Amino acid sequence: MNRIKSLFQKKRNDGKSVFITYLVCGDPDIKTTYNLMNIMVEAGVDIIELGMPFTDPIADGPTIQKGVERSLTKKTSLKDIFDVVKKFRKKNLHTPIVLMGYMNPIEKIGYEKFSLLSKNCGADGILIVDSPPEESKKINKILKNKDLCQIFLASPTTEQSRLKKIINSTSGYLYYVSIKGITGSKINNYKTIENRVNQIRIMSKNKIPITVGFGIKDKKTAKAISKFSDGIIIGSSVVELIEKNIHNKPIMFKNMKNYLKNIYKGMQNR
Amino acid sequence: MSEYQTKNLMKKINYKNFPDKNGYFAEFGGKFVSETLMHPLNELLKSYNKIAKSTNFRNELKKELSQFVGRPTPIYHASRISKELGNCNIFLKREDLNHTGAHKINNAMGQAMLAKSMGKKRIIAETGAGQHGVATATACARYDLKCVIYMGSKDIQRQKINVYRMKLLGAEVISVDSGSKTLKDALNEALRDWVTNVDDTHYIIGSVAGPHPYPMIVRDFQSVIGHECKKQMKTLFNKKPNILVACVGGGSNAIGMFHPFLNEDVDMIGVEAAGLGLNTGKHAAPLNKGKPGILHGNRTYIMEDDNGQIESTHSISAGLDYPGVGPEHSWLKNNNRVKYVSVTDKEALKAFHYLTEKEGIIPALETAHALAYAFKIAKKLNKKNILINLSGRGDKDIDTVALLNRIQV
């Protein structure tokens, strides 16, 4: 069984919320990414979303954009990304990895080859930010054949009719974008998010885990959101922490661990 | 048949039936955007379909284009250069005589009126050369809409006059410092703004690029150019054009002129920016040198490296300095309906001076690319009617040209 699916099953049985973090692969270099992935697991992270850098990240705010630019100055390629996942898998067989990025680099290498290499390196899911279900029919089939989950987004603006399509298309989990905006924006109102998550839950007959991302920065927010969702995703804050400590790796690793541990704690007594 | 014969008579495509309902021109186009934008794009399509059918809207737009913009723009027979270059008739569609000095206002007015009908209060736009920014700021002043323009910091440097014009018109100009600091990055930033402010904001994309329905909407609003050309060539000169020539960055002035002629017996040439040369890597010619890929919400020819990262471009003209192109152009290229060629910075500059000196018209540097290619073929062809889209005036480029000629203004 796909690692993502079994993880959510187990967490649901335990009554716990899943902790997901995002980082840009190769920010500021591949070795640091590898170390950070292991530190994330040690701090209690359940799933790692590994960002595949792209020159024109239209859904990302300034923090992640800068992370992407740092990675691209090192010319991080898809091959580097597959390699780091392969290396990670040598020691870790349980933490699901989701490769998250934009469509053009995937089109360039080709859907078949991308899916094959993703599977072979040990990735479990794919999230293509700028490819909604309407544009993903072809790649979705190929990913399914390889038992890779394709994760789709839903947002506050998604209409009922499309929500159904997204629920039917997504596998592993559904990524609910908490706010209208780009990554790194602020959440103002938990209640509207909760209502929306509940609405999706009813529509999906509780068959697909619903995670919430965008705007979660601290323990308090993480706790509040994990109360009604199946998982939370933290991205910009992680990338910001990397940026802040970019010249001192030991401090970066220490601060990352403490930061994520603290959030993990908040999620435990929800 | 001449070597410039580009129409494909074997294929019977009704070009008016495209894009299809999913926004595709065969494999090009589509809606590659983040989920949050799917709903506003659907709403935009619905509103557009409604107004496109409305006689009231069409009449109102026609009135605005006539009384505020100054349409129809004339077609001018450039007799002096026609004679000097050989045996062809060179005609210029004078889009430079539009209010604000370029074709961009055709689309800006249409979309501002569309935004107004949708109840939007705020307009955002990206701009490269600044012409679309000025046109949008002008339409916003006219319709009392709040206006924010995104512009790459590199373009702000080379188009200072247009930046000031936008500010005078009441727009806020936001400098974009990410990526290559040009048009593509301004577009990224405008998309980010739109995702954040979808409720009250309409995004006026300035070219036939972006996700569906933008390539269609912008094309339709720009098609006024081609429709007028058809009529004017007949009534003013009693001639039919044999060849249409226009420059292509995103490609809105070209598609505006070409589209009404696509099902007719006319050759068409789109001219891209070859920058320092097609083999130098420093150009902006995705149709000549690029490959199909995905950028800014659609599948089209783009300039990318082996890893699928978008490459930075170079052109003397900010308006052509873009690594993608409208998806309909990609389709017209693959169909062999339009021939896409390129012209270097140097050749464009030469054409800029030539038209200025011989006809008393200072063209935009973008337009100078179309002129350079048209002049080249005019020497080789016999008795053809070449109609060039003189898409904009060159006042904005005076500083750039002076600098290149080492003259202090």
Side-chain angles (χ1 to χ4, degrees):
Chain A
M1 194 187 197
N2 185 292
R3 266 184 282 259
I4 299 173
K5 290 178 184 167
S6 50
L7 173 78
F8 275 101
Q9 218 165 59
K10 184 176 168 291
K11 287 279 179 175
R12 192 169 272 187
N13 292 340
D14 297 349
K16 291 217 157 103
S17 191
V18 169
F19 186 16
I20 306 172
T21 49
Y22 168 95
L23 78 169
V24 181
C25 190
D27 169 25
D29 54 65
I30 290 284
K31 201 178 149 204
T32 307
T33 298
Y34 174 74
N35 287 330
L36 286 171
M37 287 167 80
N38 288 310
I39 285 162
M40 285 172 169
V41 176
E42 286 164 27
V45 168
D46 298 303
I47 298 178
I48 297 171
E49 289 181 349
L50 197 54
M52 303 180 279
F54 178 53
T55 37
D56 295 76
I58 49 175
D60 287 301
T63 305
I64 292 182
Q65 277 179 62
K66 275 189 260 166
V68 166
E69 281 181 16
R70 285 192 294 272
S71 173
L72 286 176
T73 50
K74 295 273 163 66
K75 298 204 182 305
T76 308
S77 66
L78 284 179
K79 185 181 178 300
D80 297 326
I81 296 165
F82 297 138
D83 286 348
V84 79
V85 177
K86 207 181 275 175
K87 191 174 164 194
F88 176 80
R89 275 280 168 262
K90 280 186 185 154
K91 285 191 190 157
N92 182 320
L93 285 171
H94 68 278
T95 306
I97 304 279
V98 173
L99 302 180
M100 182 168 178
Y102 291 81
M103 193 50 139
N104 196 53
I106 299 173
E107 287 239 334
K108 181 75 184 170
I109 183 172
Y111 294 168
E112 284 283 354
K113 195 172 170 193
F114 175 79
S115 306
L116 182 72
L117 294 176
S118 299
K119 185 69 192 177
N120 287 351
C121 75
D124 307 281
I126 308 295
L127 200 168
I128 311 166
V129 183
D130 58 347
S131 192
E134 288 87 339
E135 303 292 359
S136 300
K137 283 177 198 144
K138 209 171 143 194
I139 193 166
N140 191 251
K141 241 185 227 163
I142 296 169
L143 293 171
K144 248 187 203 147
N145 276 339
K146 296 264 184 299
D147 191 31
L148 287 162
C149 294
Q150 185 173 11
I151 293 124
F152 285 104
L153 306 161
S155 87
T157 60
T158 306
E159 310 101 317
Q160 282 305 88
S161 56
R162 292 201 61 261
L163 210 44
K164 272 196 190 128
K165 191 179 282 183
I166 290 163
I167 289 166
N168 291 333
S169 309
T170 200
S171 67
Y173 56 98
L174 185 146
Y175 187 134
Y176 181 67
V177 175
S178 64
I179 38 141
K180 292 172 203 161
I182 47 182
T183 53
S185 310
K186 263 198 191 115
I187 290 180
N188 297 318
N189 192 337
Y190 298 138
K191 198 67 204 165
T192 43
I193 303 172
E194 180 172 1
N195 290 341
R196 190 73 169 156
V197 167
N198 288 337
Q199 182 202 6
I200 301 172
R201 202 181 290 288
I202 291 164
M203 253 179 119
S204 68
K205 301 191 176 94
N206 207 14
K207 276 185 186 147
I208 190 87
I210 303 156
T211 65
V212 177
F214 283 41
I216 304 172
K217 295 177 191 303
D218 52 34
K219 190 174 171 181
K220 192 175 140 239
T221 319
K223 187 173 173 176
I225 295 205
S226 59
K227 274 187 183 149
F228 56 79
S229 69
D230 298 298
I232 60 144
I233 304 150
I234 298 190
S236 292
S237 299
V238 166
V239 178
E240 198 180 332
L241 203 149
I242 294 171
E243 184 184 356
K244 259 190 196 153
N245 301 291
I246 203 136
H247 297 299
N248 193 335
K249 299 282 158 59
I251 300 269
M252 180 199 289
F253 297 154
K254 193 177 138 221
N255 289 355
M256 185 68 77
K257 200 165 182 176
N258 290 339
Y259 170 68
L260 295 176
K261 256 188 178 165
N262 189 34
I263 288 182
Y264 176 76
K265 262 190 222 152
M267 290 172 65
Q268 294 316 300
N269 42 21
R270 61 170 177 157
Chain B
M1 278 202 189
S2 76
E3 61 173 300
Y4 304 103
Q5 196 79 27
T6 54
K7 60 195 171 285
N8 193 334
L9 297 170
M10 304 301 291
K11 276 186 197 162
K12 285 257 183 281
I13 297 171
N14 188 352
Y15 288 91
K16 289 183 180 65
N17 293 341
F18 288 83
D20 67 18
K21 68 178 191 340
N22 298 319
Y24 275 90
F25 304 88
E27 71 264 46
F28 299 106
K31 275 193 272 194
F32 291 87
V33 292
S34 53
E35 180 54 37
T36 311
L37 287 182
M38 290 300 280
H39 175 68
L41 287 172
N42 289 342
E43 287 294 294
L44 178 61
L45 178 63
K46 265 189 229 156
S47 304
Y48 177 70
N49 283 339
K50 211 162 103 193
I51 60 120
K53 282 189 211 120
S54 149
T55 324
N56 269 351
F57 183 90
R58 289 216 301 260
N59 287 340
E60 183 64 25
L61 178 61
K62 204 170 171 186
K63 189 180 124 204
E64 289 290 289
L65 290 179
S66 148
Q67 297 175 7
F68 185 71
V69 176
R71 301 204 71 94
T73 58
I75 289 183
Y76 165 70
H77 180 223
S79 54
R80 204 179 152 197
I81 58 172
S82 293
K83 210 174 274 171
E84 198 173 299
L85 290 170
N87 207 8
C88 287
N89 280 310
I90 294 177
F91 295 94
L92 305 174
K93 175 62 172 168
R94 297 291 307 274
E95 289 300 297
D96 60 317
L97 294 178
N98 279 320
H99 179 40
T100 71
H103 69 288
K104 293 290 186 188
I105 190 86
N106 303 329
N107 168 52
M109 290 299 284
Q111 283 204 50
M113 285 172 62
L114 172 59
K116 203 81 180 165
S117 79
M118 291 170 77
K120 303 288 182 184
K121 304 268 184 277
R122 180 174 175 268
I123 297 291
I124 55 170
E126 86 295 341
T127 196
Q131 288 304 108
H132 175 56
V134 169
T136 302
T138 300
C140 287
R142 164 76 184 82
Y143 292 113
D144 190 19
L145 291 158
K146 192 173 183 300
C147 182
V148 175
I149 306 288
Y150 289 93
M151 192 167 181
S153 56
K154 187 177 155 194
D155 291 337
I156 287 183
Q157 269 310 310
R158 54 181 170 176
Q159 301 288 349
K160 283 185 195 141
I161 295 171
N162 271 346
V163 174
Y164 187 54
R165 284 169 84 195
M166 287 183 255
K167 287 181 180 165
L168 285 173
L169 288 159
E172 182 189 352
V173 181
I174 297 181
S175 172
V176 178
D177 243 334
S178 56
S180 63
K181 305 175 178 36
T182 58
L183 181 56
K184 123 183 136 69
D185 310 283
L187 220 154
N188 290 340
E189 212 50 43
L191 283 170
R192 291 182 187 117
D193 179 313
W194 200 31
V195 169
T196 312
N197 301 297
V198 284
D199 292 335
D200 70 338
T201 299
H202 174 64
Y203 177 17
I204 302 188
I205 292 189
S207 196
V208 284
H212 179 63
Y214 280 106
M216 174 180 79
I217 293 177
V218 178
R219 174 198 73 195
D220 291 354
F221 285 137
Q222 290 295 0
S223 290
V224 66
I225 303 171
H227 287 300
E228 283 178 10
C229 286
K230 253 188 189 175
K231 258 193 226 155
Q232 290 169 316
M233 283 304 286
K234 194 157 184 236
T235 54
L236 300 174
F237 305 102
N238 199 24
K239 282 186 168 59
K240 270 192 169 179
N242 304 111
I243 303 171
L244 309 177
V245 186
C247 64
V248 177
S252 69
N253 88 80
I255 212 81
M257 183 189 241
F258 296 169
H259 196 257
F261 288 97
L262 284 172
N263 280 100
E264 298 195 8
D265 184 11
V266 185
D267 289 348
M268 301 179 194
I269 300 173
V271 187
E272 291 193 305
L276 302 182
L278 282 187
N279 296 322
T280 61
K282 292 193 182 302
H283 58 80
L287 288 168
N288 280 278
K289 278 283 178 179
K291 290 211 173 96
I294 288 163
L295 178 65
H296 294 147
N298 68 94
R299 185 180 288 116
T300 191
Y301 277 84
I302 57 169
M303 287 173 54
E304 59 178 358
D305 68 13
D306 294 340
N307 293 318
Q309 303 295 351
I310 306 305
E311 282 181 323
S312 55
T313 50
H314 165 83
S315 169
I316 190 177
S317 75
L320 303 183
D321 208 350
Y322 180 63
V325 62
E328 192 164 6
H329 285 292
S330 295
W331 179 56
L332 295 172
K333 171 194 158 76
N334 278 15
N335 284 341
N336 294 319
R337 178 63 189 91
V338 177
K339 179 175 167 174
Y340 293 92
V341 299
S342 67
V343 151
T344 63
D345 286 355
K346 251 190 191 158
E347 295 170 306
L349 198 60
K350 205 173 136 200
F352 171 94
H353 285 294
Y354 187 70
L355 190 77
T356 304
E357 286 162 23
K358 302 283 174 175
E359 295 286 355
I361 299 170
I362 304 179
L365 283 173
E366 290 78 13
T367 312
H369 287 71
L371 295 166
Y373 197 81
F375 297 165
K376 227 192 272 189
I377 61 171
K379 288 178 194 162
K380 296 185 205 160
L381 296 175
N382 197 17
K383 289 188 180 163
K384 297 283 186 192
N385 299 318
I386 303 174
L387 176 58
I388 307 166
N389 192 352
L390 201 93
S391 53
R393 69 179 182 217
D395 306 45
K396 68 182 175 60
D397 296 314
I398 300 290
D399 283 341
T400 308
V401 172
L403 199 71
L404 286 165
N405 293 334
R406 292 162 208 262
I407 290 167
Q408 196 122 41
V409 181

